[in-house]
Amino acid sequence: MTTVQLRELVERLVAAGQWKPGDPEVLVVLDAGYDAPGSPTCSAICPSRSSADSAQTVPCGRPTPPRVYDRKGGRPPKHGGEFVFGDRVTWGSEHAVTVTDTRLYGKATAQAWDLLHPRLTRRAAWLNHDGPLPIIEGTVIRLAVEKLPGGGANKPVWLWWSGTGATTDDVDRCWQSFLRRFDLEHTFRLFKQTLGWTKPQLRSPEAADPWTWLVIAAYAQPRLARPLTADLRRPWGKPAEPNRLTPACVRRRFRHLLTKTGSPADAPKPTRPGPGRPPGSKNRRPAVRHDVGRVLATGEAHTRPSHHKSGTKPRRTA
């Protein structure tokens, strides 16, 4: 399902003109738990590459060694030497190494090993695969930082990229794009928890699109008001620079801007609720009701007993 959704997304980007032949390939960033080796199956018709957080419990194999004649016979090896994430002895020499000075993490060192393939198993996307499992080669990237902003243990992060022959620019693009994903996640969390993106129970996609644009417009206001606000932090918070305030910090100070800016709007309306639908009138737009679809143990569809239906309840007599 994930592969189908990614393929449809990239096809829509191509149809909208946001990707043209000659542009860099679309980089799809996935979290741990997704079948990253299975996502390149959409690259056959889409210009995309995948980069995912690798599970450190799944070993990778090196390229298959050349076949050597053995008088004893037997099947030739399918995998080369094993690459274990927790054993430095199995790593060997790196294909590319980059060192980047960052503001929050100090020195970030990225090491890349080329032409490694994970040991696929018949699960997830490969559950119903016919024939032997394929060998999908890629690049394994190890990212280690000098420190963390919160002072926690700076454990290395292992990434798997579906491309091969990675240059230093490709390695930096992969791990920087993966860290950029956390900024997007916090943005969506602000949309949902603070701006109420998922609060209304909308009945149709036509109503959801305008509501999404309203949420985006509300999010743009704290971004634009950042240089106009001061740091109104909590007693336990750390001071922040004026030009680096988060949208949540700007939102706490946003109400003070209303007294300094003019408002071309009319007088505010009263806060009393509206009259609503006139008493006695029928609702012309009732909500759509769906069948629960309960099935009995015998396989028959569940129906309400006749004495539970509306208008069939026996009346009490004296």
Side-chain angles (χ1 to χ4, degrees):
M1 184 180 297
T2 303
T3 302
V4 173
Q5 292 177 352
L6 292 178
R7 181 170 58 247
E8 293 177 351
L9 172 62
V10 177
E11 289 177 350
R12 289 197 301 267
L13 293 177
V14 176
Q18 298 187 13
W19 187 91
K20 301 177 181 178
D23 295 344
E25 293 181 333
V26 179
L27 183 62
V28 180
V29 182
L30 305 174
D31 201 353
Y34 286 92
D35 188 9
S39 59
T41 56
C42 64
S43 299
I45 60 174
C46 297
S48 62
R49 292 283 186 179
S50 63
S51 176
D53 188 4
S54 300
Q56 301 188 20
T57 57
V58 180
C60 292
R62 298 186 182 276
T64 305
R67 185 173 182 179
V68 180
Y69 173 74
D70 188 357
R71 64 176 63 184
K72 297 181 181 179
R75 188 182 67 177
K78 186 178 180 180
H79 306 281
E82 193 175 44
F83 184 94
V84 183
F85 292 100
D87 190 0
R88 289 181 174 269
V89 179
T90 62
W91 294 355
S93 58
E94 306 91 339
H95 175 72
V97 180
T98 62
V99 180
T100 307
D101 292 330
T102 61
R103 181 178 60 88
L104 297 177
Y105 306 100
K107 287 187 177 181
T109 304
Q111 304 168 273
W113 290 267
D114 195 16
L115 298 177
L116 297 180
H117 60 272
R119 300 289 183 90
L120 301 180
T121 57
R122 294 190 180 276
R123 58 183 295 272
W126 311 103
L127 183 62
N128 299 323
H129 181 76
D130 297 332
L133 295 176
I135 295 179
I136 302 177
E137 294 181 338
T139 303
V140 173
I141 302 174
R142 181 181 183 269
L143 175 64
V145 297
E146 187 177 0
K147 62 178 181 179
L148 293 180
N154 51 347
K155 297 181 180 180
V157 177
W158 291 92
L159 305 176
W160 190 86
W161 183 51
S162 61
T164 57
T167 62
T168 55
D169 294 337
D170 294 332
V171 174
D172 288 339
R173 179 171 177 245
C174 287
W175 72 261
Q176 291 176 7
S177 300
F178 182 78
L179 295 184
R180 177 63 176 169
R181 180 182 61 90
F182 294 98
D183 298 336
L184 300 178
E185 288 184 352
H186 285 289
T187 302
F188 283 113
R189 187 179 69 170
L190 179 69
F191 281 4
K192 295 179 180 180
Q193 297 182 358
T194 304
L195 301 181
W197 186 22
T198 56
K199 287 293 184 182
Q201 302 295 331
L202 303 177
R203 301 179 183 179
S204 62
E206 291 77 10
D209 290 343
W211 174 248
T212 301
W213 283 112
L214 288 175
V215 172
I216 294 176
Y219 174 74
Q221 291 185 7
R223 286 291 184 182
L224 296 175
R226 177 187 291 182
L228 304 177
T229 58
D231 186 12
L232 188 64
R233 64 182 186 276
R234 306 296 187 186
W236 55 85
K238 296 181 180 179
E241 299 178 4
N243 293 331
R244 299 197 62 86
L245 296 178
T246 62
C249 296
V250 177
R251 179 173 172 267
R252 288 196 294 264
R253 186 73 179 181
F254 195 81
R255 63 181 184 271
H256 298 282
L257 297 178
L258 299 179
T259 58
K260 300 179 181 179
T261 57
S263 178
D266 298 335
K269 297 181 180 180
T271 58
R272 295 187 301 274
R277 191 170 66 249
S281 61
K282 296 183 179 180
N283 185 10
R284 298 181 180 180
R285 299 182 60 185
V288 181
R289 298 183 179 273
H290 302 276
D291 187 13
V292 180
R294 295 175 59 184
V295 180
L296 302 178
T298 57
E300 301 177 357
H302 174 268
T303 57
R304 297 183 62 181
S306 59
H307 61 278
H308 286 176
K309 295 181 180 179
S310 178
T312 59
K313 186 177 180 180
R315 299 181 60 182
R316 295 186 60 183
T317 58

